Structures are given as structure tokens and as C-alpha cells.
């Protein structure tokens, strides 16, 4: 069994994922980092050279390559669930947890991250809060439909969010309770 963290950029998937994996004694994998390592290019470079379709293909392949992984916390990219095949691969991978926050909070976090402009492309002309609001609205249906659990990341620290996910998982882990 694995835990798969989904949510918009800035929701805390990587930060919470590392903490959660450490708490559970599992490995942490950031799918975007896997893609970057395999491609030898940043996500922004992949978008520039292969377009969003090429990046999403790589994302699906990376997610599918983890199908035999066990005891991992996996952070998916914010748009990974837009592709039906990637949604299926993510569901097979493990229990999906949606890290939620409103668009204004997400934009605040993204805009304070000095690496964001260098590593992440704008998805709409001009980017900014308007992009986050529009894109988040489009993605929320898939996040909600796929998530076995949702956690708001508005005011709790990453440690508190990780603890909440761990407590939920351990209370609902039928594989260990039936063994």
C-alpha cells in the first residue's frame, strides 16, 4: 500500500510528503522530481521543448512505473489527475489524499517560492492569481473524485498535516488490521 498526495502547486505535497514518509518509515517520491531526473530537464524546459502533452505523457509513464512500489508516499504533480490513464495509475498505486487550500493561499505560497518561476511554467498567459483560480476550479472535480481523504492545508503546519494523514491512514488501513 502507498499514499498518494494530490493537490494544486503550493498545497504542500512535497513538504508534507517528506514528513509523512519519515513518520511512517516509508520512502518519499516526488513524481515531478522523478520526471526531471529521467529527462535531464526542468519541468519548464520540458514544457518548452515537448509542450504540455509531452510532459503529461512523461507524467503518466512515471506514475505507471511505480505500480509495484510498496510503502511509499508519492506526491503527484498538480495536473497529473487531468489525464484519465494517469488517474487510473494513481488509483492503483494507493490511497489518494487531496491537500486542499484556497487559490489565494496557494498563490501566496507559489509567489514566495524563489524557484517557482525557474522550474514551473505558467499554464495560462500572464499566470498569477487568476491562473491559480481558473486552473484550480478545473482540477477540483478530479481531485475530489479520486481522493479517499481530504486535508485542508490552510493554517496547520506541514507536521500537523502529516500527522492528520497518518492518523487517518492508520485508522483506515484494512491491509494491516486484517493481517
Amino acid at each position: 500500500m502507498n499514499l498518494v498526495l494530490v493537490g494544486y502547486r503550493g498545497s504542500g505535497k512535497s513538504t508534507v510528503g517528506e514528513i509523512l514518509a519519515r513518520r511512517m518509515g516509508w520512502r518519499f517520491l516526488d513524481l515531478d522530481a522523478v520526471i526531471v531526473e529521467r529527462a535531464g530537464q526542468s519541468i519548464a524546459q520540458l514544457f518548452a521543448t515537448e509542450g504540455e502533452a509531452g510532459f503529461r505523457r512523461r507524467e503518466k509513464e512515471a506514475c505507471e512505473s511505480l505500480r509495484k512500489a510498496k510503502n511509499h508516499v508519492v506526491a503527484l504533480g498538480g495536473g497529473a489527475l487531468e489525464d484519465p490513464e494517469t488517474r487510473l495509475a494513481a488509483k492503483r498505486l494507493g490511497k489518494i489524499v487531496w491537500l486542499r487550500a484556497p487559490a489565494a493561499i496557494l498563490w501566496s505560497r507559489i509567489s514566495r517560492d524563489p524557484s517557482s518561476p525557474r522550474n514551473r511554467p505558467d499554464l495560462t498567459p500572464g499566470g498569477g492569481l487568476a491562473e491559480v483560480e481558473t486552473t484550480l476550479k478545473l482540477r477540483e472535480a478530479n481531485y475530489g473524485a479520486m481522493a479517499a481523504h481530504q486535508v485542508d492545508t490552510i493554517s496547520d503546519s506541514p507536521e500537523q498535516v502529516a500527522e492528520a494523514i497518518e492518523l487517518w491512514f492508520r485508522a483506515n488501513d484494512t491491509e494491516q488490521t486484517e493481517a
Side-chain angles (χ1 to χ4, degrees):
M1 176 59 61
N2 301 294
L3 281 166
V4 180
L5 304 182
V6 301
Y8 200 86
R9 181 185 339 175
S11 62
K13 299 179 303 283
S14 296
T15 302
V16 169
E18 288 179 2
I19 295 166
L20 180 59
R22 190 171 49 249
R23 288 179 63 93
M24 297 185 70
W26 290 6
R27 289 194 57 211
F28 173 70
L29 285 174
D30 184 316
L31 199 67
D32 283 349
V34 170
I35 295 165
V36 166
E37 182 179 322
R38 289 180 182 174
Q41 297 181 54
S42 72
I43 293 171
Q45 290 170 322
L46 287 170
F47 265 73
T49 60
E50 299 179 11
E52 185 172 0
F55 175 77
R56 298 295 175 208
R57 178 187 49 77
R58 287 177 178 272
E59 194 170 50
K60 177 185 67 162
E61 290 168 358
C63 192
E64 288 173 343
S65 75
L66 301 175
R67 68 182 169 273
K68 293 183 180 180
K70 297 286 185 233
N71 299 328
H72 283 72
V73 176
V74 180
L76 296 188
L81 297 184
E82 295 304 294
D83 177 76
E85 291 178 29
T86 306
R87 284 196 300 270
L88 184 60
K91 188 171 185 165
R92 284 191 294 243
L93 189 56
K95 291 186 179 185
I96 298 175
V97 178
W98 176 14
L99 302 186
R100 296 180 59 171
I105 299 287
L106 295 168
W107 173 242
S108 173
R109 292 173 183 166
I110 293 165
S111 63
R112 286 191 320 253
D113 179 358
S115 70
S116 196
R118 181 176 64 251
N119 295 324
R120 308 289 179 164
D122 286 338
L123 299 176
T124 62
L129 177 58
E131 173 184 284
V132 176
E133 290 171 336
T134 301
T135 309
L136 180 61
K137 187 172 284 194
L138 294 172
R139 292 178 178 176
E140 283 181 324
N142 283 329
Y143 293 153
M146 297 300 295
H149 187 57
Q150 300 177 22
V151 179
D152 286 324
T153 65
I154 298 169
S155 60
D156 287 345
S157 70
E159 292 80 10
Q160 290 168 316
V161 173
E163 180 182 25
I165 296 168
E166 179 185 17
L167 291 171
W168 167 81
F169 176 77
R170 297 207 187 277
N172 292 283
D173 184 10
T174 56
E175 285 186 9
Q176 288 191 5
T177 56
E178 292 176 359

